[in-house]
Amino acid sequence: MSGLASDDYNTWFAPDELDRIRRRLPIVYINAVPVRVDADGTIQQVALLYTSRENSIHRSLVSVRVMYHERLRDALARHLDKDLGPMALPRLPVTLVPFTVAEYFPTPGITPYHDPRQHAISLAYIVAIDGDCSPQQEVLEITWLTPEEVLNPRLQAEMVDGHGALVRQALSFSGRMV
Amino acid sequence: MSGLASDDYNTWFAPDELDRIRRRLPIVYINAVPVRVDADGTIQQVALLYTSRENSIHRSLVSVRVMYHERLRDALARHLDKDLGPMALPRLPVTLVPFTVAEYFPTPGITPYHDPRQHAISLAYIVAIDGDCSPQQEVLEITWLTPEEVLNPRLQAEMVDGHGALVRQALSFSGRMV
Amino acid sequence: MSGLASDDYNTWFAPDELDRIRRRLPIVYINAVPVRVDADGTIQQVALLYTSRENSIHRSLVSVRVMYHERLRDALARHLDKDLGPMALPRLPVTLVPFTVAEYFPTPGITPYHDPRQHAISLAYIVAIDGDCSPQQEVLEITWLTPEEVLNPRLQAEMVDGHGALVRQALSFSGRMV
Amino acid sequence: MSGLASDDYNTWFAPDELDRIRRRLPIVYINAVPVRVDADGTIQQVALLYTSRENSIHRSLVSVRVMYHERLRDALARHLDKDLGPMALPRLPVTLVPFTVAEYFPTPGITPYHDPRQHAISLAYIVAIDGDCSPQQEVLEITWLTPEEVLNPRLQAEMVDGHGALVRQALSFSGRMV
């Protein structure tokens, strides 16, 4: 069932080529909400990534662009590893049915989700994390917060691109904060 | 909430340009399973489209490529109209959570879904039809079949690209044929 | 597929017998969130029932106790008819997978749902209404409200038993208010 | 969030009392499909319980009657422990939205599910198992089978009460066998 690695395909784009395509085709993404659960499956904490973008600091969830000829499960596993580190031990969901589909438009206000660079269609999953996370690459810090803390209006204001709405939907779907 | 029509954007591609992109990026699709339901919501019939492709006749479900800056709901409405005719009166789902996500690869065998032209990621919905369907454009005929008829092995063999698997998943999810 | 009507079975309980059982077994319920949707499936309005209980006025969703030997679809259809009137023309869902499962405990605080009379386990569905509703029996009035109005804190405070939480979950799941 | 243990309540029934209630009220159950998944979340194996009932041997999934004042999560955890042993390390789902709702009627043929003793309404979940299972109490053996083996018609014929249909729905929903 394992797909070929994306590197086996000619998926390289010249610097401005992907930018141009992004203005003409919707791009497939995955969003993951990393959580810690207790023994009965109840969400105890949510991990937010602290990143620096254009000189300001933002909190966000995991975002993955799906590559050509890459299975969704492989894209999700690859990127959780890349963002949370190799010891995170994520539990991938048994079904690919997402808890929501987030439509990011370059024009704000059409949906709660916004991405100035592109029209992205993102499948969103809750992923339980068993191991230890360590920030990788452009992630400055990974913070574990309780659902109550995540829904705090001040923290919600630090979340970008509609990720605050996404985490509210995840908590609502899980029955944890309704 | 209504998205701008896709024609307002520069989404035109030169003849071979889309073909080239299709070999390098996954493309977003929607699949719809058109059904007739009775008063209590039970599926009574499924509509299959009878199309001619490369000199052979195939049965398939509705397939929609999502355009740049087009909402999923608009893409679904536009294409149901285009495939089933203006009197179909489709009932779009209240949620965009699909019953399954079908991954079509150009390489057969990775998933049950296959598309020689491209890597497509398709959100699949069951759509109840209230009105009358009339075949449009390249659709030769629209046939309404009972769930039992759709699962008949001979009919399943006429379905292409894994649409047979997709309709089985829809019937399983609805509890109609398990 | 149609179940026998519940009256064909000995499901009558002596006045205090059901009360006693309710203190010893969880009881199966259905909750319905009646909505009006536009042509693309987006929720435009939610119907709340205005009822009088113990000398105070409350707003609530549709609640149905499932009878012995009654199918869920039959229970839902029977009760929508009973609460919203015979011209409501409800569109029952094609799947019985609920958007949430609400656990009502007689002890407050275990979940967001509470029912002093019993431990009830309720499957919750969004039901699009095509026709006209008219209040029946103990329902004083049926009010159609926009999602924004339903989420207004003053209105949420008028909702009983956790029905405010239930309608928030329905709107979150539908992607209408996140 | 933890519910009181069911023993804190008067939930004891005289020998024939529960039998009588079972003929007059639907009873709440949970069904669990225990699975082993690989690192990317794909189902590798399904556990079937081998039980003896009325002098014949049957295969089945985990079935749990929910007790008075018991949370669904507590009922699921309690019974997985009771059926699969204390070292099974089950991963309870993050949401209580089931993959299907199975309606068991004492009258065969109304749904694919049948229970001669009662009308049961069962919420069905897929549960990943990390540890080792050991048969407990009336379970003679626990067998791990591949999805292909589970769908074998001979094995399906050994499954009782519609559990064959239930495991087919679980595999369809997970995208593992469609």
Side-chain angles (χ1 to χ4, degrees):
Chain A
M1 281 288 287
S2 171
L4 300 181
S6 56
D7 295 343
D8 297 351
Y9 290 87
N10 172 23
T11 57
W12 181 84
F13 289 100
D16 58 349
E17 203 176 357
L18 186 57
D19 280 352
R20 257 182 298 132
I21 292 170
R22 276 178 158 151
R23 267 172 263 126
R24 295 168 71 188
L25 264 188
I27 308 294
V28 187
Y29 271 74
I30 296 172
N31 278 131
V33 183
V35 299
R36 286 205 193 287
V37 299
D38 65 15
D40 72 11
T42 305
I43 294 176
Q44 294 304 315
Q45 290 183 304
V46 177
L48 297 184
L49 311 184
Y50 214 49
T51 48
S52 169
R53 197 162 78 187
E54 292 155 16
N55 293 322
S56 80
I57 303 277
H58 293 300
R59 291 183 194 270
S60 64
L61 301 168
V62 174
S63 278
V64 189
R65 179 162 75 79
V66 181
M67 309 292 277
Y68 180 75
H69 216 287
E70 184 181 44
R71 292 190 314 145
L72 292 167
R73 291 190 178 283
D74 292 326
L76 191 49
R78 166 177 62 82
H79 224 280
L80 287 168
D81 208 68
K82 185 167 152 291
D83 273 7
L84 306 182
M87 306 304 288
L89 306 178
R91 307 280 315 192
L92 270 64
V94 291
T95 175
L96 290 174
V97 174
F99 70 84
T100 202
V101 179
E103 303 178 76
Y104 294 82
F105 286 100
T107 315
I110 296 174
T111 68
Y113 313 103
H114 175 233
D115 188 335
R117 296 167 306 162
Q118 63 191 338
H119 173 197
I121 294 173
S122 179
L123 308 174
Y125 302 101
I126 299 171
V127 179
I129 302 293
D130 280 0
D132 293 314
C133 296
S134 53
Q136 308 288 313
Q137 303 191 26
E138 69 265 44
V139 177
L140 303 177
E141 197 186 308
I142 295 165
T143 329
W144 288 99
L145 298 164
T146 64
E148 288 78 7
E149 289 167 339
V150 168
L151 298 194
N152 181 290
R154 245 160 77 189
L155 197 131
Q156 285 276 314
E158 291 175 32
M159 297 192 76
V160 287
D161 301 341
H163 285 195
L166 210 53
V167 79
R168 290 198 301 274
Q169 281 181 289
L171 291 170
S172 171
F173 180 69
S174 74
R176 184 59 181 81
M177 294 295 284
V178 300
Chain B
M1 283 286 289
S2 171
L4 301 180
S6 56
D7 294 344
D8 296 350
Y9 289 86
N10 173 23
T11 57
W12 180 85
F13 289 100
D16 58 349
E17 203 177 355
L18 186 57
D19 280 351
R20 257 183 298 133
I21 291 171
R22 276 178 158 151
R23 268 171 263 127
R24 296 167 70 188
L25 264 186
I27 309 294
V28 187
Y29 271 74
I30 296 173
N31 279 132
V33 183
V35 298
R36 286 205 191 287
V37 298
D38 65 16
D40 72 11
T42 305
I43 294 176
Q44 294 304 315
Q45 290 183 303
V46 178
L48 297 184
L49 311 183
Y50 213 49
T51 50
S52 169
R53 196 161 81 188
E54 291 155 16
N55 294 322
S56 80
I57 303 279
H58 293 301
R59 290 183 196 269
S60 64
L61 301 168
V62 174
S63 278
V64 189
R65 179 163 75 80
V66 181
M67 310 292 277
Y68 180 76
H69 215 286
E70 185 181 43
R71 292 189 314 145
L72 292 167
R73 290 190 178 282
D74 292 326
L76 191 50
R78 168 178 61 81
H79 224 278
L80 287 167
D81 209 69
K82 184 166 152 292
D83 272 8
L84 306 182
M87 305 303 288
L89 305 178
R91 307 279 315 190
L92 269 64
V94 292
T95 176
L96 290 174
V97 174
F99 70 84
T100 202
V101 179
E103 302 179 76
Y104 294 82
F105 287 100
T107 315
I110 296 174
T111 67
Y113 313 104
H114 175 233
D115 188 336
R117 296 168 306 163
Q118 63 192 339
H119 173 197
I121 293 173
S122 179
L123 307 174
Y125 302 102
I126 300 172
V127 179
I129 302 293
D130 280 1
D132 293 314
C133 297
S134 53
Q136 308 287 312
Q137 302 190 27
E138 69 265 43
V139 177
L140 303 178
E141 197 187 306
I142 295 166
T143 329
W144 288 99
L145 298 164
T146 64
E148 289 77 6
E149 289 167 338
V150 168
L151 298 195
N152 181 290
R154 245 160 77 187
L155 196 131
Q156 285 276 313
E158 291 175 31
M159 297 192 76
V160 288
D161 301 340
H163 284 195
L166 210 53
V167 79
R168 291 197 301 275
Q169 281 181 288
L171 291 170
S172 171
F173 180 69
S174 74
R176 182 61 180 80
M177 294 294 284
V178 301
Chain C
M1 283 285 288
S2 171
L4 301 181
S6 56
D7 295 344
D8 298 351
Y9 289 86
N10 173 24
T11 57
W12 180 84
F13 288 100
D16 57 350
E17 203 176 356
L18 185 57
D19 280 352
R20 258 183 296 131
I21 291 170
R22 277 178 158 152
R23 268 172 263 126
R24 295 168 70 188
L25 264 188
I27 308 294
V28 187
Y29 271 73
I30 296 172
N31 278 131
V33 183
V35 298
R36 287 206 190 285
V37 299
D38 65 15
D40 72 11
T42 304
I43 294 176
Q44 295 304 316
Q45 290 183 304
V46 178
L48 297 184
L49 312 183
Y50 213 50
T51 49
S52 169
R53 198 161 78 188
E54 290 155 17
N55 294 322
S56 80
I57 303 279
H58 293 300
R59 291 184 196 269
S60 64
L61 301 167
V62 174
S63 279
V64 189
R65 180 162 74 80
V66 181
M67 309 292 276
Y68 180 76
H69 216 286
E70 185 181 42
R71 292 189 315 144
L72 292 167
R73 292 190 177 284
D74 293 325
L76 190 50
R78 166 176 62 80
H79 224 278
L80 288 167
D81 209 70
K82 185 167 151 291
D83 273 7
L84 306 181
M87 305 304 287
L89 305 177
R91 307 279 315 190
L92 269 64
V94 292
T95 175
L96 289 175
V97 174
F99 70 85
T100 202
V101 179
E103 303 179 75
Y104 295 82
F105 285 100
T107 316
I110 296 175
T111 68
Y113 314 104
H114 175 232
D115 188 336
R117 295 168 305 162
Q118 62 192 338
H119 173 197
I121 294 174
S122 178
L123 307 175
Y125 302 102
I126 299 172
V127 179
I129 302 292
D130 281 359
D132 293 314
C133 296
S134 53
Q136 307 289 311
Q137 303 190 27
E138 70 264 43
V139 177
L140 303 176
E141 198 186 307
I142 295 165
T143 328
W144 287 99
L145 299 164
T146 64
E148 288 77 7
E149 289 167 338
V150 168
L151 298 195
N152 181 289
R154 245 159 78 188
L155 196 129
Q156 285 277 313
E158 290 174 33
M159 297 191 75
V160 288
D161 300 341
H163 284 195
L166 210 53
V167 80
R168 290 196 304 273
Q169 281 181 289
L171 291 170
S172 171
F173 180 70
S174 74
R176 183 61 180 79
M177 295 295 284
V178 300
Chain D
M1 282 286 289
S2 171
L4 301 181
S6 56
D7 294 345
D8 297 350
Y9 290 87
N10 172 22
T11 57
W12 181 84
F13 288 101
D16 58 349
E17 204 177 355
L18 186 57
D19 280 352
R20 258 183 296 132
I21 291 170
R22 277 178 158 151
R23 267 172 263 126
R24 296 167 71 188
L25 263 188
I27 308 294
V28 187
Y29 272 73
I30 296 173
N31 279 132
V33 183
V35 299
R36 286 205 191 286
V37 298
D38 65 15
D40 71 12
T42 305
I43 295 176
Q44 295 305 316
Q45 291 182 304
V46 177
L48 298 184
L49 311 184
Y50 213 50
T51 49
S52 170
R53 196 161 79 189
E54 291 156 16
N55 293 322
S56 79
I57 303 278
H58 293 301
R59 291 182 196 270
S60 65
L61 301 167
V62 173
S63 279
V64 189
R65 180 161 74 81
V66 181
M67 309 293 276
Y68 180 75
H69 216 286
E70 184 181 43
R71 292 189 315 144
L72 292 167
R73 291 190 179 284
D74 292 326
L76 191 50
R78 167 177 63 81
H79 223 279
L80 287 167
D81 208 70
K82 185 167 151 290
D83 273 7
L84 306 181
M87 305 304 287
L89 306 177
R91 307 280 315 192
L92 270 63
V94 291
T95 175
L96 289 175
V97 174
F99 70 85
T100 203
V101 179
E103 303 179 75
Y104 295 82
F105 286 100
T107 315
I110 296 174
T111 68
Y113 313 104
H114 175 234
D115 188 336
R117 295 168 305 162
Q118 62 191 338
H119 173 198
I121 293 173
S122 178
L123 307 173
Y125 303 102
I126 300 172
V127 179
I129 302 292
D130 280 0
D132 294 313
C133 296
S134 53
Q136 307 287 314
Q137 303 190 26
E138 70 264 44
V139 177
L140 302 177
E141 197 186 307
I142 296 166
T143 329
W144 288 99
L145 298 164
T146 65
E148 289 78 6
E149 289 167 338
V150 168
L151 298 194
N152 181 289
R154 244 161 78 189
L155 196 130
Q156 285 276 314
E158 290 175 33
M159 297 191 76
V160 287
D161 300 340
H163 285 194
L166 210 53
V167 80
R168 291 198 301 275
Q169 281 181 288
L171 291 169
S172 172
F173 180 69
S174 74
R176 183 60 181 82
M177 293 295 284
V178 300

